[in-house]
Amino acid sequence: MKMVALLVVMMGLNISVFSQTDSLSATKDSIELDMDLLKDFKAMLDSISNKTNFFSVSISGGNRLFSLKNNNFNAQQPENRLAITPSVFYYHHSGFGMNATAYFSKLDGKSQFYQYAFTPSYDYLKGKAIAFGISYSYYLKEKKLEQYATPFSHELFGYIQTRKGWLRSGFSIGWGKGQYVEVRRLDTVIFTIPRSITDTTTVGLQDFSFTASVSHPFEWNGLFKPIDGLSVIPQLMLVAGAQHFDVSSSKRLTSSRKFVTISRNYISSDQENTGLRIQSAAFALSVSYFIGGFSLTPNYFISYYFPETDRPFSNIFSLTAAYMF
């Protein structure tokens, strides 16, 4: 059980997701079971018990393209490409931590970094009955690659997890805020006059997710050597959410005649709120093998979206290798 408590810090501290104390399922909402679960769980546990601090470096590969903490947000992504995410994480025995992550993928025909995430966090792991944590993520995006990055600039994530009983219940809340821009251009000829229509739409959005979960940790120590072990954590989730959109559209009509160019601007705006509703049911599985300060963690997350859509199933997966010192 103690080994799993470690997972909590990693996930809680920032673990990255539309992620555990005594149950990896302290769950970063969909459970980012994948972020920085890394680390040698036992070593980490010793560090916490001895009130010491530690660093962890990791590298992860998978299709978790946007959120560090909330796979419910990742599950809304419109595409399915691969990204590499190197990470550095610092944990202080008081419960505070800091994580820095870069996102690397092949875009526009070449491999490049398209966004970075900086995540301060706090996890309370000293309670015998419950554990809880909160984190804030700020996303810095490459301007020319914003279309591939998360639409959010700010994200909050909080969780609470029980630590007793065969089944561990948990609850998490996620919030993201940001915007994205779409530009469309049409060149045409009307009444023999060349015209160009540029439509620029700016969408400001806020996304809320609320997740209730149950999980049970399985663990085995000393599989091949006295210092290694295996942790398996399945988790079931029910997710509710709400989205708010502020849409501003600007149309520019340009008419060109000989020696004369005339431009006109048309601006409109609108708002939409989906209201709170049950959105999806999800299952997450995290398998972690550790030996010494090294850990290897494959994670899988699948969700079924209830509202009618062309793509009801979403799959998020990752493989993370990490070393703690």
Side-chain angles (χ1 to χ4, degrees):
M1 295 296 175
K2 291 186 176 180
M3 143 170 68
V4 184
L6 273 204
L7 295 186
V8 178
V9 187
M10 297 334 300
M11 300 187 87
L13 293 191
N14 153 47
I15 348 181
S16 87
V17 129
F18 185 33
S19 47
Q20 276 84 346
T21 207
D22 239 301
S23 136
L24 228 201
S25 91
T27 149
K28 292 342 224 105
D29 199 300
S30 84
I31 302 209
E32 324 147 357
L33 296 156
D34 71 3
M35 275 233 52
D36 303 344
L37 280 166
L38 343 149
K39 302 67 179 189
D40 160 75
F41 306 136
K42 283 189 170 181
M44 181 196 275
L45 187 60
D46 292 339
S47 296
I48 296 174
S49 299
N50 296 326
K51 296 186 178 181
T52 59
N53 315 316
F54 66 84
F55 276 98
S56 174
V57 293
S58 66
I59 185 166
S60 178
N63 67 340
R64 185 192 60 210
L65 306 179
F66 295 162
S67 176
L68 281 178
K69 298 287 186 178
N70 197 331
N71 272 332
N72 293 314
F73 290 167
N74 285 321
Q76 298 174 25
Q77 62 195 30
E79 57 181 315
N80 190 28
R81 57 183 164 82
L82 298 178
I84 303 298
T85 53
S87 241
V88 177
F89 173 67
Y90 173 73
Y91 176 79
H92 188 268
H93 66 263
S94 63
F96 289 96
M98 173 62 73
N99 179 281
T101 300
Y103 290 73
F104 184 82
S105 188
K106 188 172 183 179
L107 306 168
D108 295 337
K110 62 180 180 180
S111 298
Q112 51 194 320
F113 289 100
Y114 63 93
Q115 75 179 26
Y116 307 87
F118 303 93
T119 306
S121 58
Y122 175 78
D123 289 81
Y124 177 78
L125 305 175
K126 299 177 182 179
K128 294 182 179 181
I130 63 170
F132 61 86
I134 187 171
S135 65
Y136 163 76
S137 294
Y138 173 72
Y139 295 93
L140 182 64
K141 292 160 273 190
E142 292 288 350
K143 188 68 176 178
K144 62 179 181 179
L145 299 174
E146 281 189 328
Q147 68 199 79
Y148 302 109
T150 174
F152 302 121
S153 295
H154 309 278
E155 184 181 333
L156 286 173
F157 186 86
Y159 72 89
I160 183 169
Q161 177 72 42
T162 61
R163 305 183 69 175
K164 293 184 177 182
W166 193 86
L167 271 182
R168 312 297 173 82
S169 59
F171 181 75
S172 60
I173 299 177
W175 170 82
K177 182 179 181 180
Q179 70 173 32
Y180 62 91
V181 179
E182 293 182 347
V183 180
R184 298 178 182 177
R185 177 170 176 164
L186 173 65
D187 293 316
T188 185
V189 176
I190 303 176
F191 299 120
T192 73
I193 302 174
R195 302 176 189 269
S196 177
I197 302 174
T198 302
D199 186 352
T200 302
T201 301
T202 302
V203 180
L205 70 157
Q206 294 189 63
D207 201 329
F208 300 85
S209 70
F210 305 87
T211 301
S213 66
V214 291
S215 65
H216 176 75
F218 300 91
E219 61 180 43
W220 298 267
N221 297 315
L223 293 178
F224 306 106
K225 295 184 178 181
I227 60 171
D228 76 346
L230 180 69
S231 172
V232 178
I233 302 176
Q235 183 175 37
L236 290 173
M237 290 155 281
L238 185 64
V239 183
Q243 292 79 39
H244 177 79
F245 302 92
D246 289 301
V247 182
S248 175
S249 181
S250 174
K251 291 181 175 63
R252 184 178 181 85
L253 175 62
T254 303
S255 301
S256 297
R257 294 185 176 182
K258 192 174 182 179
F259 307 122
V260 179
T261 298
I262 301 175
S263 295
R264 295 183 176 87
N265 291 322
Y266 304 89
I267 299 176
S268 61
S269 61
D270 193 13
Q271 290 187 342
E272 181 181 348
N273 195 326
T274 64
L276 183 63
R277 57 182 178 174
I278 299 296
Q279 288 186 334
S280 63
F283 171 77
L285 179 67
S286 175
V287 180
S288 300
Y289 175 76
F290 62 90
I291 180 169
F294 174 79
S295 67
L296 187 65
T297 304
N299 294 285
Y300 179 68
F301 171 85
I302 181 172
S303 66
Y304 178 80
Y305 196 66
F306 294 129
E308 185 176 349
T309 177
D310 294 334
R311 193 173 67 101
F313 284 99
S314 292
N315 298 271
I316 307 296
F317 63 88
S318 68
L319 177 63
T320 302
Y323 186 77
M324 188 198 76
F325 55 93

